[in-house]
């Protein structure tokens, strides 16, 4: 619980919200600026700033709750698909610094759906850069795994 955190305020009930689900570890409510009809946020009750800070058990619980809520939302609202989104860091569009997963139902009917991708899917990348970055990350992750096993 952080006094200045908007989402901690929602969990405490001092900030109003439209609740859609709650369990021991997680809380889910409607997003006030929905990207599509039925846009929901799923959060851990325990405060964590972001993806890098959230403990394993809270991340697991939020992800499983988001899956359950996504299935129910698609069925209930007659959506054609759903996006899960997490923003980690201000430069990655995070605006509220209490970890949350967006559950965004998607519709062929664009009167219900205002989401557009910020890049053009299918634009070919630089194969050399893809290979270089992938190899660098593989080496780093492989090294971390070896260290953990030592
Ligand atoms: P992000 O940009 O990923 O940090 O997402 C923060 C989300 O919180 C945005 O989609 C906002 O519309 C939503 N939001 C902010 N304040 C509230 C609120 N009081 N109730 C519900 N959703 C909110
Ligand atoms: Zn918080």
């Amino acid at each position: 619980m952080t006094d200045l955190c908007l989402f901690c305020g929602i969990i405490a009930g001092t900030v109003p919200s439209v609740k859609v689900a709650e369990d021991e570890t997680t809380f889910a409510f409607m997003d006030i600026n929905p990207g599509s009809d039925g846009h929901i946020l799923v959060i851990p009750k325990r405060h964590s700033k972001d993806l890098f800070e959230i403990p394993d058990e809270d991340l697991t619980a939020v992800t499983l709750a988001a899956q359950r809520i996504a299935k129910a939302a698609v069925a209930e609202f007659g959506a054609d698909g759903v996006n899960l989104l997490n923003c980690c860091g201000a430069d990655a569009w995070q605006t509220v610094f209490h970890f949350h997963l967006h559950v965004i139902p998607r519709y062929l009917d664009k009167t219900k759906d205002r989401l557009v991708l910020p890049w053009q899917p299918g634009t070919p990348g630089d194969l050399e850069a893809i290979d270089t970055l992938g190899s660098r990350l593989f080496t780093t992750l492989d090294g971390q795994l070896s260290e953990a096993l030592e």
Side-chain angles (χ1 to χ4, degrees):
M1 171 77 186
T2 302
D3 280 351
L4 295 176
C5 174
L6 179 67
F7 288 176
C8 282
I10 285 180
I11 292 159
T14 52
V15 175
S17 72
V18 177
K19 176 171 108 173
V20 299
E22 181 177 11
D23 61 26
E24 209 179 308
T25 318
T26 70
F27 190 89
F29 57 101
M30 302 303 286
D31 193 303
I32 206 162
N33 309 302
S36 72
D37 290 5
H39 183 164
I40 299 146
L41 299 173
V42 188
I43 64 178
K45 286 186 173 172
R46 182 161 46 163
H47 180 89
S48 286
K49 186 176 70 163
D50 60 22
L51 179 68
F52 298 149
E53 216 179 63
I54 185 169
D56 293 1
E57 60 272 29
D58 284 0
L59 180 59
T60 303
V62 169
T63 306
L64 291 174
Q67 182 195 41
R68 188 172 73 85
I69 291 163
K71 280 183 193 165
V74 165
E76 181 64 30
F77 303 142
D80 303 296
V82 63
N83 286 116
L84 293 194
L85 172 71
N86 169 252
C87 304
C88 181
D91 291 334
W93 305 333
Q94 187 173 5
T95 58
V96 178
F97 291 84
H98 178 130
F99 179 86
H100 48 283
L101 277 185
H102 296 258
V103 176
I104 312 174
R106 303 303 310 279
Y107 305 89
L108 294 172
D109 176 356
K110 293 304 164 200
T111 63
K112 298 179 176 181
D113 188 325
R114 296 159 287 287
L115 239 64
V116 285
L117 270 179
W119 80 93
Q120 196 63 48
T123 306
D126 175 341
L127 289 181
E128 212 176 297
I130 292 168
D131 188 52
T132 304
L133 295 175
S135 303
R136 267 174 54 191
L137 200 54
F138 178 87
T139 305
T140 300
L141 291 169
D142 201 41
Q144 284 176 2
L145 198 61
S146 305
E147 263 176 41
L149 292 174
E150 274 171 17

